[in-house]
Amino acid sequence: MRRAATVALAGGLLLTASPLAAPASAAPKPAPRPAPAVSAKGAYLADQATGTALYGKAATTPRQMASTTKIATAIVVLTTPKVDLNRKVTVKQAYRDYVTREGASTADLRTGDKLTVRQLLSGLMLPSGCDAAYALADTFGKGKTSAERTKQFIGQMNAKAKSLKMAKTKFDSFDGISGGGNNVTTPEDLAKLARHSFDNKTFRDVVKATSYKAAATASTGKTRTYTWYNTNKLLGSYPGAVGMKTGTGTAAGPCLVFAATRGSKTYVGVVLNGSDRYNDAAKLLDYGFGAKPTAKKIKLRPLPAGAQRD
């Protein structure tokens, strides 16, 4: 039997080379998939379960976020200790006056009607109701006046951002209408908020619905039925889409926070100031799932006449 040869290296390490061992041939590595080109000025894609980033574009650059702010509004309410989703909130005229004054998107809440917190969350997230945002901030903030309560609620939103280590995020409104332009985030930060929010079952149930009907107690004592349609056209258009929130503003541009699930895998993503936000989202999700591109084939779910756009 032949002895293996022992070879001494200059550094003192001994390697044993056997003449019987054939040299191993490395398997060729697959070519990396090219990252998609997107219209958005800022974008991000992450694994929901692990937080692993799959894509980033200007991911840490702060930008205005418009109504994607309402994700924070919703999750602050939902993580309030002992929150009662069946608690009834009376709609104030101030909420209607606010959306009229700002020209804001609305759930068309009627003064004197009583809606549950759960219903208001759908009014917040589907038609992007700024009146619903006002109602929730006024209800869950602390203080003697509406101004004090809404200010304190925005403080809760900032505390939530701090707890999630959203270092470059600042909220100065409860709905994304920013008077001073200081309502900013980054794609990476907003993805952290999206992942945290998506862990909440009620939040998931709210944002995945393409429409929602709320039977509220009208000011007359009768029942009024509100019907809201989700402004997120990715739902019902992209296979596996399950949320999450649109946003549009003069400074922010078109924005979208999105999520999709296929099998056991869920990805969440962010598009800030994207002129083609839905195709951007489809491209990023295709990239994450390793799927054949659907972006060119995607046909967006139409919204009924009169439905809110955001």
Side-chain angles (χ1 to χ4, degrees), residues 99-115:
V99 295
T100 300
R101 184 171 65 250
E102 298 294 339
S105 51
T106 177
D108 196 24
L109 303 180
R110 305 302 178 88
T111 304
D113 285 6
K114 292 180 174 62
L115 291 89

Side-chain angles (χ1 to χ4, degrees), residues 24-92:
S25 57
K29 293 182 178 179
R33 289 178 296 134
V38 297
S39 71
K41 292 183 178 179
Y44 199 78
L45 184 73
D47 186 305
Q48 166 64 22
T50 66
T52 301
L54 284 81
Y55 179 94
K57 177 181 178 182
T60 59
T61 300
R63 300 184 186 281
Q64 289 202 41
M65 62 185 117
S67 284
T68 62
T69 298
K70 290 167 181 158
I71 296 173
T73 310
I75 200 60
V76 166
V77 170
L78 285 168
T79 54
T80 298
K82 298 181 180 180
V83 62
D84 180 3
L85 296 178
N86 294 316
R87 176 182 177 182
K88 291 198 172 183
V89 176
T90 301
V91 177
K92 298 178 182 178

Side-chain angles (χ1 to χ4, degrees), residues 64-70 73 98-106 128-131 133-134 154 157 171-183 248-250 252 310:
Q64 289 202 41
M65 62 185 117
S67 284
T68 62
T69 298
K70 290 167 181 158
T73 310
Y98 172 74
V99 295
T100 300
R101 184 171 65 250
E102 298 294 339
S105 51
T106 177
S128 199
C130 294
D131 44 359
Y134 194 163
I154 294 167
M157 294 167 68
F171 296 111
D172 70 0
S173 76
F174 49 72
D175 57 4
I177 298 175
S178 176
N182 293 318
N183 200 79
T248 304
T250 302
D310 183 23

Side-chain angles (χ1 to χ4, degrees), residues 110-122:
R110 305 302 178 88
T111 304
D113 285 6
K114 292 180 174 62
L115 291 89
T116 67
V117 170
R118 173 62 180 81
Q119 290 171 335
L120 287 172
L121 286 167
S122 286

Side-chain angles (χ1 to χ4, degrees), residues 5-17:
T6 300
V7 182
L9 298 182
L13 180 64
L14 295 179
L15 294 179
T16 301

